[in-house]
């Protein structure tokens, strides 16, 4: 098989993918992330550790968008997809450095690029940090394997990855571990470099503590139960290894048992084939260490929480593991491997398309609600108050967005007025059972300085002035 066939096909698909993804508009916390337009000084305290986060690249990017608001969210999407493509190229380059054959490399490349585990990142407006944490991590691995003077660039890239997103720090010991797995260096040198990686982690945490501007940690990261962690672990494994249409399974408005069953039927033969091949390899150093690396990269999320976006963190190691497994098949098994993987890939693409349509629909709903509010408000207002009526609409990450999340506390209006108005937005949430209180709350808000009140009830906006 031609070694470059996977890259050629991906590059052919790239313009269509970019065109499609750039049509996804922001919803919910896309409007509050640091990767949205920021109107403060680029040299503010946001560059330092704040609460649970230290993501200076996000903030600097947001400051750029604050001066070029028309580029949001299109520029986000372009940089995320291009970053994901470069990550794919880096996996290809690493496979070549590790002398992995063309069939295994091509399958690993397709596995990584089209995996549903990427969707929480590649279809998101705020996926830059996850994409580039992986980019710098893979770059560190490539430099380490390349050797020579480039070898000592890997600590630098690990630090850049950690400043993109906290889980990037997990790459600190991955390059020497991969070198150990493939016997690319002596054990004494590997131990030395793992020690350097651990020292990088210590320096990072000391810097976070000493430079921290505010010290509270988001409660959702530390309040999970043991059962929650088990669910997160299962989610990570399922999204990584099973490209079935989860939207058709878990999101009631889009539930489609036949489509979900179809993707299961298409995906399972390759998965069973992988298991059959890998079982005799479980005693091999290469497989054991790559599995360990996979869980090291996933550990920051498994120890806190795993959202759909976080499935991206360890996916590159899963792809390398697939490459190593396929590398061990004999010539007679080539046809079976290709046939089952083609079915697996079709399942992944079906899942990708369905999730893309869901993400696009959520963004269009956000624009619809914001436009309705702007038209009904009739003129610029300085202060707005948003009343969100919770009708218990189902939610599925950014692929199935309820109306109140699409309206995003009124922040969507600010986006669709080119960040001209309103200057101040306050909000409250009431249950559908207490809907009649909305009028009273609206009058109270108007009496206390609000210029208008937006009541979000399902897919419609009521404006009280």
């Amino acid at each position: 098989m031609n070694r470059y066939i996977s890259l050629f096909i991906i590059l052919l698909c790239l313009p269509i993918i970019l065109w499609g993804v750039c049509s996804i508009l922001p919803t919910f916390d896309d409007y509050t992330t640091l990767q949205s337009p920021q109107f403060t000084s680029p040299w503010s305290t946001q560059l330092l550790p704040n609460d649970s986060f230290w993501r200076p690249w996000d903030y600097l990017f947001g400051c750029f968008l604050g001066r070029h608001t028309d580029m949001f969210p299109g520029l986000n999407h372009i940089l995320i997809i291009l970053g994901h493509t470069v990550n794919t190229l880096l996996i290809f380059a690493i496979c070549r450095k590790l002398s992995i054959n063309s069939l295994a490399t091509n399958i690993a490349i397709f596995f990584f690029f089209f995996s549903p585990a990427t969707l929480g990142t590649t279809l998101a407006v705020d996926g830059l940090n996850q994409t580039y944490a992986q980019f710098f991590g893979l770059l560190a691995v490539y430099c380490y394997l390349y050797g020579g003077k480039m070898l000592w660039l890997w600590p630098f890239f690990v630090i850049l990855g950690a400043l993109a997103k906290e889980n990037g720090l997990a790459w600190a010991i991955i390059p020497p571990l991969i070198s150990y797995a493939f016997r690319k260096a002596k054990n004494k040198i590997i131990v030395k470099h793992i020690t350097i990686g651990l020292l990088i982690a210590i320096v990072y945490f000391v810097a976070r503590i000493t430079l921290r501007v505010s010290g509270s940690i988001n409660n959702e990261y530390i309040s999970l139960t043991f059962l929650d962690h088990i669910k997160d672990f299962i989610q990570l494994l399922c999204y990584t290894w099973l490209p079935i249409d989860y939207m058709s399974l878990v999101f009631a408005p889009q539930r489609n048992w036949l489509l979900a069953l179809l993707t299961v039927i298409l995906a399972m033969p390759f998965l069973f084939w992988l298991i059959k091949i890998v079982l005799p390899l479980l005693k091999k150093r290469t497989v054991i260490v790559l599995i360990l690396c996979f869980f090291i990269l996933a550990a920051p999320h498994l120890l806190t929480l795993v959202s759909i976006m976080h499935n991206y963190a360890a996916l590159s190691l899963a792809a390398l593991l697939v490459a190593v497994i396929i590398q061990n098949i004999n010539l007679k098994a080539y046809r079976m491997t290709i046939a089952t993987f083609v079915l697996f890939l079709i399942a992944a693409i079906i899942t990708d398309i369905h999730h893309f349509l869901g993400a696009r629909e959520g963004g269009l709903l956000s624009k619809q609600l914001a436009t309705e509010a702007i038209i009904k408000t009739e003129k610029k207002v300085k202060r707005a108050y948003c009343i969100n009526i919770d009708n218990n609409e189902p939610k599925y990450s950014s692929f199935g967005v309820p109306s109140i999340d699409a309206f995003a506390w009124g922040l969507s209006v600010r986006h669709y007025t080119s960040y001209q108005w309103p200057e101040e937005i306050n909000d409250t949430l009431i249950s559908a059972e207490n809907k009649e209180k909305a009028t009273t709350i609206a009058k109270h808000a108007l009496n206390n300085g609000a210029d208008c009140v937006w009541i979000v009830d399902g897919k419609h906006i009521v404006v009280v002035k």
Side-chain angles (χ1 to χ4, degrees):
M1 177 181 286
N2 189 309
R3 183 181 291 273
Y4 299 95
I5 187 66
S6 56
L7 296 181
F8 178 72
I9 292 173
I10 286 169
L11 291 176
L12 279 180
C13 295
L14 195 56
I16 298 171
I17 293 170
L18 278 169
W19 173 79
V21 172
C22 284
S23 70
I24 297 175
L25 302 172
T27 63
F28 194 47
D29 56 5
D30 292 335
Y31 296 110
T32 62
T33 174
L34 290 176
Q35 298 167 48
S36 64
Q38 305 295 312
F39 301 98
T40 51
S41 166
W43 311 114
S44 77
T45 55
Q46 288 286 355
L47 286 174
L48 300 174
N50 280 271
D51 304 328
S52 307
F53 308 107
W54 188 13
R55 300 173 187 175
W57 308 138
D58 277 10
Y59 180 65
L60 291 174
F61 179 74
C63 288
F64 175 81
L65 289 178
R67 286 143 184 83
H68 305 278
T69 56
D70 56 319
M71 293 187 177
F72 176 76
L75 185 60
N76 300 57
H77 287 309
I78 290 169
L79 293 179
I80 289 166
I81 295 299
L82 292 182
H84 179 55
T85 305
V86 174
N87 288 343
T88 306
L89 293 172
L90 282 169
I91 293 172
F92 176 85
I94 290 168
C95 285
R96 292 201 67 180
K97 279 292 173 187
L98 298 174
S99 301
I100 293 173
N101 67 39
S102 59
L103 176 67
T105 299
N106 282 311
I107 286 178
I109 294 305
F110 281 130
F111 177 91
F112 177 79
F113 189 84
F114 289 106
S115 170
T118 69
L119 298 178
T121 295
T122 55
L123 298 185
V125 172
D126 62 343
L128 279 165
N129 47 45
Q130 195 73 267
T131 303
Y132 286 93
Q134 181 128 202
F135 164 72
F136 287 118
L138 288 169
L139 200 53
V141 172
Y142 179 75
C143 289
Y144 190 95
L145 294 174
Y146 193 89
K149 292 181 179 179
M150 286 185 66
L151 184 146
W152 291 106
L153 288 173
W154 72 270
F156 172 69
F157 288 127
V158 167
I159 292 169
L160 292 181
L163 294 177
K165 191 168 186 177
E166 295 75 12
N167 66 292
L169 189 63
W171 287 91
I173 61 173
I174 298 299
L177 281 176
I178 290 179
S179 182
Y180 171 74
F182 289 86
R183 293 177 169 83
K184 294 291 183 180
K186 295 180 180 179
N187 290 351
K188 187 181 293 187
I189 295 174
I190 298 297
V191 171
K192 175 185 174 182
H193 292 166
I194 288 176
T195 303
I196 291 172
L198 294 174
L199 287 174
I200 292 171
I202 292 170
V203 170
Y204 172 84
F205 282 113
V206 169
R208 278 203 67 157
I209 293 169
T210 56
L211 298 175
R212 184 180 294 168
V213 176
S214 56
S216 62
I217 298 176
N218 193 326
N219 190 54
E220 68 177 341
Y221 288 100
I222 57 177
S223 61
L224 297 181
T225 65
F226 177 74
L227 183 59
D228 290 326
H229 288 300
I230 294 296
K231 289 178 181 177
D232 285 348
F233 180 78
I234 293 171
Q235 177 190 300
L236 174 71
L237 294 183
C238 287
Y239 272 84
T240 301
W241 299 103
L242 279 172
I244 63 175
D245 187 7
Y246 297 99
M247 193 169 184
S248 291
L249 285 177
V250 302
F251 187 51
Q254 294 285 333
R255 186 162 288 146
N256 187 328
W257 297 114
L258 288 177
L259 189 59
L261 180 61
L262 174 64
T263 54
V264 170
I265 293 170
L266 291 171
M268 293 310 290
F270 180 70
L271 187 61
F272 285 137
W273 185 242
L274 272 186
I275 293 170
K276 180 181 178 180
I277 301 168
V278 79
L279 287 177
L281 305 176
L282 289 177
K283 294 181 181 179
K284 286 195 172 186
R285 176 198 291 190
T286 307
V287 172
I288 293 171
V289 175
L290 287 180
I291 292 172
L292 174 64
C293 289
F294 173 84
F295 285 110
I296 288 172
L297 291 179
H301 302 302
L302 290 173
L303 294 173
T304 51
L305 63 86
V306 177
S307 72
I308 292 178
M309 174 179 283
H310 299 149
N311 296 315
Y312 191 77
L315 187 63
S316 56
L317 262 294
L320 282 177
L321 183 58
V322 168
V324 168
I325 295 170
I326 300 302
Q327 174 95 334
N328 282 273
I329 66 171
N330 56 46
L331 289 173
K332 293 180 180 179
Y334 263 48
R335 288 185 180 178
M336 175 64 75
T337 302
I338 294 171
T340 56
F341 182 71
V342 167
L343 296 177
F344 183 91
L345 189 59
I346 292 171
I349 291 172
I350 290 171
T351 301
D352 294 344
I353 292 172
H354 195 188
H355 284 68
F356 157 73
L357 293 173
R360 188 172 181 273
E361 186 177 327
L364 290 174
L365 176 60
S366 180
K367 183 178 182 179
Q368 171 201 316
L369 293 172
T371 303
E372 184 178 349
I374 292 166
I375 292 171
K376 290 182 176 179
T377 304
E378 295 180 338
K379 63 178 182 178
K380 287 185 178 181
V381 295
K382 186 174 182 180
R383 299 182 183 87
Y385 195 88
C386 180
I387 301 174
N388 300 293
I389 298 176
D390 185 2
N391 292 307
N392 291 315
E393 293 179 65
K395 179 178 180 177
Y396 173 52
S397 187
S398 59
F399 313 112
V401 182
S403 302
I404 56 176
D405 287 358
F407 194 61
W409 319 282
L411 295 177
S412 58
V413 173
R414 186 177 289 167
H415 172 64
Y416 288 105
T417 58
S418 299
Y419 296 89
Q420 298 300 306
W421 60 274
E423 296 177 19
E424 179 184 328
I425 305 175
N426 293 299
D427 68 281
T428 191
L429 176 70
I430 61 175
S431 65
E433 293 77 13
N434 295 316
K435 186 185 298 189
E436 69 279 356
K437 294 183 180 179
T439 303
T440 304
I441 296 171
K443 289 179 180 179
H444 183 267
L446 292 170
N447 290 334
N448 284 274
D451 298 314
C452 74
V453 176
W454 298 318
I455 302 174
V456 188
D457 188 5
K459 294 185 178 180
H460 297 284
I461 303 288
V462 175
V463 178
V464 183
K465 294 178 288 186

